[in-house]
């Protein structure tokens, strides 16, 4: 298997930071996930005040904690064997689901790293993804699937402090064709607050929320470009 791509999240301040305010306003308008199953919420995890993600795939919801980092990359783990690698606000690899996103490789920089620029200049990008089934049998492995996308952003009508990035993509061959990803980010900094994205042709989209720190806690992380 190819190496995971990981994410480094820059620290934000605690208390009522602009990121916390933007995330709080956004979260009130987005649908809540299903209750977290006990096995996905607690298996193999300990209490942590550090960076965390809330993950949802279909009706399955779990909280993931940071387990390792390398440079600008981070790896997160929930219970029930769910592992997610992120780069910026984007999921680039998964494990523990019936379809596995093994790796993501971009031709050039990811336009999601600067969503403000997408307001005036929509961008096009190409990446290659590797997929396999959870049983890891050779017949379920698909490497080098091309994914071509066009990204644009606009200010959220209900809250101009939040940008919504829409990414319309088409995956070739075994990638399953067209799909659309969406990311909500803080307009002032580009920090991703929430993403809903494709993780494989036979899977529902994955929703990722980058959780802000609770008021009074030590600084936590946000998905910064």
């Amino acid at each position: 298997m190819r190496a995971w791509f990981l994410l480094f999240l820059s620290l934000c301040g605690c208390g009522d930071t602009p990121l916390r305010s933007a995330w709080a306003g956004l979260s009130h308008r987005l649908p809540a996930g299903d209750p977290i199953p006990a096995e996905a919420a607690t298996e193999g995890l300990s209490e942590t005040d550090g960076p965390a993600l809330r993950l949802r795939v279909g009706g399955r919801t779990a909280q993931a904690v940071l387990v390792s980092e390398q440079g600008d990359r981070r790896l997160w783990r929930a219970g029930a064997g769910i592992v997610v690698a992120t780069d910026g606000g984007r999921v680039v690899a998964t494990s523990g689901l019936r379809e596995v996103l093994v790796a993501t490789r971009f031709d050039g920089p990811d336009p999601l790293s600067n969503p403000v620029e997408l307001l005036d200049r929509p961008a096009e990008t190409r990446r290659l993804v590797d997929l396999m089934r959870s049983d890891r049998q050779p017949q379920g492995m698909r490497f080098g699937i091309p994914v071509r996308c066009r990204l644009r952003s606009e200010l959220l009508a209900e809250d101009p402090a939040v940008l919504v990035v829409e990414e319309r993509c088409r995956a070739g061959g075994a990638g399953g064709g067209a799909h659309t990803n969406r990311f909500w980010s803080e307009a002032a900094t580009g920090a991703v607050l929430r993403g809903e994205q494709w993780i494989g042709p036979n899977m529902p989209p994955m929703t990722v929320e980058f959780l802000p720190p609770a008021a009074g806690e030590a600084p936590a992380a946000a998905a910064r470009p």
Side-chain angles (χ1 to χ4, degrees):
M1 180 185 296
R2 297 176 186 269
W4 291 87
F5 288 172
L6 309 174
L7 165 71
F8 176 80
L9 304 180
S10 57
L11 297 178
C12 69
C14 59
D16 291 327
T17 62
L19 176 63
R20 163 172 282 279
S21 299
W23 192 96
L26 176 66
S27 63
H28 287 311
R29 289 187 294 276
L30 293 172
D34 297 335
I36 299 175
E39 68 276 10
T42 61
E43 180 186 321
L45 301 182
S46 58
E47 292 298 323
T48 178
D49 293 328
L53 304 179
R54 182 178 293 124
L55 308 173
R56 183 181 184 188
V57 180
R60 189 179 187 185
T61 306
Q63 184 162 311
V65 297
L66 181 66
V67 294
S68 67
E69 61 183 292
Q70 179 182 348
D72 291 342
R73 304 165 183 172
R74 284 197 172 184
L75 190 67
W76 312 80
R77 180 171 60 88
I82 299 173
V83 179
V84 171
T86 54
D87 189 346
R90 186 187 299 279
V91 172
V92 294
T94 65
S95 185
L97 303 170
R98 69 175 182 272
E99 183 95 18
V100 176
L101 176 59
V102 179
T104 303
R105 301 178 300 285
F106 273 86
D107 289 347
D110 184 353
L112 186 61
S113 65
N114 197 338
V116 175
E117 286 190 355
L118 298 172
L119 281 169
D120 300 321
R121 294 197 303 260
E124 295 185 357
T125 186
R126 179 180 181 270
R127 55 186 176 267
L128 298 176
V129 300
D130 300 335
L131 301 168
M132 72 177 183
R133 299 192 185 100
S134 59
D135 59 14
R136 302 187 181 186
Q137 294 301 306
Q139 59 268 29
M141 296 180 178
R142 291 145 289 166
F143 299 112
I145 296 171
V147 181
R148 297 182 181 274
C149 303
R150 180 175 176 82
L151 298 87
R152 65 179 184 87
S153 67
E154 61 183 12
L155 293 171
L156 187 66
E158 299 88 346
D159 187 350
V162 175
L163 278 170
V164 182
V165 178
E166 182 179 79
E167 182 182 48
R168 294 183 177 270
C169 303
R170 179 168 291 278
H179 59 268
T180 299
N181 302 325
R182 291 182 177 85
F183 304 89
W184 289 259
S185 68
E186 188 186 30
T189 66
V192 173
L193 309 169
R194 174 173 172 149
E196 295 177 358
Q197 70 169 84
W198 178 92
I199 55 169
N202 301 311
M203 296 290 296
M206 174 175 280
T207 298
V208 178
E209 294 179 5
F210 294 85
L211 301 180
E217 285 186 359
R224 299 291 294 270

